[in-house]
Amino acid sequence: LPIFACLVIEHDNIVDDLFDKVKRELIKSIAEGQDDAEALMDLFMIAKYFERIGDHAENIAEWVIYSITGEHRKRPENKESSTKGGIG
């Protein structure tokens, strides 16, 4: 298997975990009454866009593997859909 494509797929979980961490922190900040909720929502959207970039990179890596091996690697069953987090 193409090693770099496999690494991209493995690292998508790290990106997903970081997004979840950012989301939790932003929710906490909003709940604590931070004054600039609009800026916090902007940060949330930026984090979500990075998470989506990771998903797209994973899809490209899956296609690279398929183009080289002819085998389509299925995502693990516990992998959530692309609508994770409610947006996007």
Side-chain angles (χ1 to χ4, degrees):
L1 289 175
I3 189 71
F4 291 117
C6 292
L7 288 173
V8 167
I9 292 169
E10 289 176 17
H11 282 83
D12 183 61
N13 291 330
I14 295 169
V15 174
D16 291 342
D17 291 343
L18 288 171
F19 169 72
D20 289 338
K21 181 179 178 181
V22 168
K23 183 173 73 171
R24 283 190 307 271
E25 289 295 321
L26 291 172
I27 290 169
K28 180 180 170 186
S29 294
I30 291 170
E32 291 173 350
Q34 293 284 334
D35 290 336
D36 201 356
E38 185 175 346
L40 294 174
M41 289 307 300
D42 288 342
L43 289 173
F44 173 78
M45 293 306 298
I46 291 167
K48 183 61 183 173
Y49 294 143
F50 278 125
E51 189 269 337
R52 290 297 297 141
I53 290 168
D55 289 342
H56 291 304
E58 179 183 29
N59 291 338
I60 292 167
E62 289 171 352
W63 278 106
V64 167
I65 291 170
Y66 177 76
S67 70
I68 293 171
T69 67
E71 296 178 14
H72 181 69
R73 289 183 51 165
K74 292 187 177 187
R75 295 176 186 207
E77 291 299 320
N78 62 355
K79 175 84 175 175
E80 294 181 31
S81 72
S82 64
T83 59
K84 182 178 164 185
I87 296 177

